[in-house]
Amino acid sequence: EAQVTQNPRYLITVTGKKLTVTCSQNMNHEYMSWYRQDPGLGLRQIYYSMNVEVTDKGDVPEGYKVSRKEKRNFPLILESPSPNQTSLYFCASSLDSHRSYEQYFGPGTRLTVT
Amino acid sequence: AQSVAQPEDQVNVAEGNPLTVKCTYSVSGNPYLFWYVQYPNRGLQFLLKYITGDNLVKGSYGFEAEFNKSQTSFHLKKPSALVSDSALYFCAVSLDSNYQLIWGAGTKLIIKP
């Protein structure tokens, strides 16, 4: 089944404790992206990647890191999480980086930082 | 500033009635427009898109949307609503100049039996 998977689905952590949210797609997609969803703000892009070893900042990259060492994986790293990073996070992928392609989303990771 | 607006936080419709979820945009260049749906505790799913051509676009689950260039709108419609259509709907626009999407804030659609 073609899908985007994220782990974990739910995470409660404390301020400053490094964490990684994994994202993997099995569709051989070139483009991958991370978003955060907050009530009333819609989706805001954190980072995106147009291909292996090619990543770039989105609208809200502060406090986050990403890497794209393999085509299928795009982990999101929070080196020192803070309470304002409490949010619902989505990984997405699309066949190509061209703007005409729709995105496929993972199920989401709900992160709480206390 | 380039933006996408979904003017209604929530839309309530009786089952069987037609529904409309509104989206307007303010961008330069030629926009590509998308609708996505988010069911509770799920990720977003693609519904439909306008790239070029016919202004009326048909998508999944019986939804359609009409691109109106003069009014800079891309409203989502369905002739007869189902209770299962209840979800959060997002409009998004892709710009000429980069690969990013600009997202609306979302509209909660509630279909009452």
Side-chain angles (χ1 to χ4, degrees):
Chain A
E1 180 190 355
Q3 59 182 349
V4 178
T5 57
Q6 294 178 229
N7 284 292
R9 294 289 312 278
Y10 302 90
L11 180 59
I12 300 174
T13 190
V14 296
T15 299
K17 185 176 181 182
K18 180 179 178 181
L19 66 92
T20 299
V21 183
T22 64
C23 172
S24 183
Q25 50 91 5
N26 63 0
M27 297 170 279
N28 202 36
H29 283 177
E30 288 192 353
Y31 183 89
M32 297 186 74
S33 180
W34 274 103
Y35 295 92
R36 60 178 290 172
Q37 182 182 13
D38 301 289
L41 297 178
L43 273 74
R44 293 181 291 169
Q45 191 175 47
I46 302 170
Y47 270 93
Y48 63 94
S49 168
M50 289 194 284
N51 214 324
V52 176
E53 302 292 2
V54 180
T55 62
D56 209 346
K57 296 177 180 178
D59 299 316
V60 289
E62 295 78 19
Y64 304 95
K65 284 176 56 177
V66 293
S67 67
R68 186 98 182 270
K69 292 182 169 45
E70 306 166 280
K71 198 170 187 178
R72 63 185 294 128
N73 296 323
F74 191 45
L76 179 70
I77 302 157
L78 285 71
E79 295 269 6
S80 183
S82 62
N84 65 11
Q85 292 178 299
T86 293
S87 188
L88 180 59
Y89 291 86
F90 289 103
C91 180
S93 71
S94 64
L95 182 63
D96 187 87
S97 57
H98 190 271
R99 66 191 188 104
S100 65
Y101 287 97
E102 61 270 23
Q103 296 189 29
Y104 294 78
F105 284 78
T109 296
R110 187 167 293 281
L111 173 65
T112 303
V113 184
T114 61
Chain B
Q2 305 191 91
S3 62
V4 174
Q6 294 181 241
E8 301 153 318
D9 291 337
Q10 183 170 309
V11 172
N12 298 297
V13 178
E15 187 176 26
N17 283 0
L19 70 88
T20 299
V21 183
K22 296 179 180 177
C23 173
T24 60
Y25 62 91
S26 175
V27 301
S28 56
N30 295 315
Y32 288 3
L33 295 149
F34 298 80
W35 275 102
Y36 288 81
V37 60
Q38 183 180 23
Y39 297 104
N41 300 315
R42 302 281 295 277
L44 281 75
Q45 297 177 32
F46 168 73
L47 269 182
L48 51 79
K49 64 182 176 184
Y50 172 81
I51 303 299
T52 187
D54 194 346
N55 289 343
L56 184 64
V57 178
K58 294 189 184 297
S60 307
Y61 311 122
F63 283 93
E64 58 188 28
E66 186 167 11
F67 172 63
N68 188 317
K69 189 172 183 178
S70 62
Q71 296 187 7
T72 62
S73 66
F74 189 56
H75 300 333
L76 182 70
K77 300 182 180 184
K78 188 173 182 181
S80 179
L82 299 172
V83 172
S84 57
D85 293 329
S86 298
L88 189 57
Y89 290 80
F90 289 96
C91 179
V93 60
S94 179
L95 306 177
D96 263 336
S97 58
N98 61 42
Y99 307 105
Q100 294 179 265
L101 286 170
I102 299 177
W103 293 84
T107 298
K108 186 175 184 179
L109 177 64
I110 298 176
I111 309 300
K112 298 184 177 179

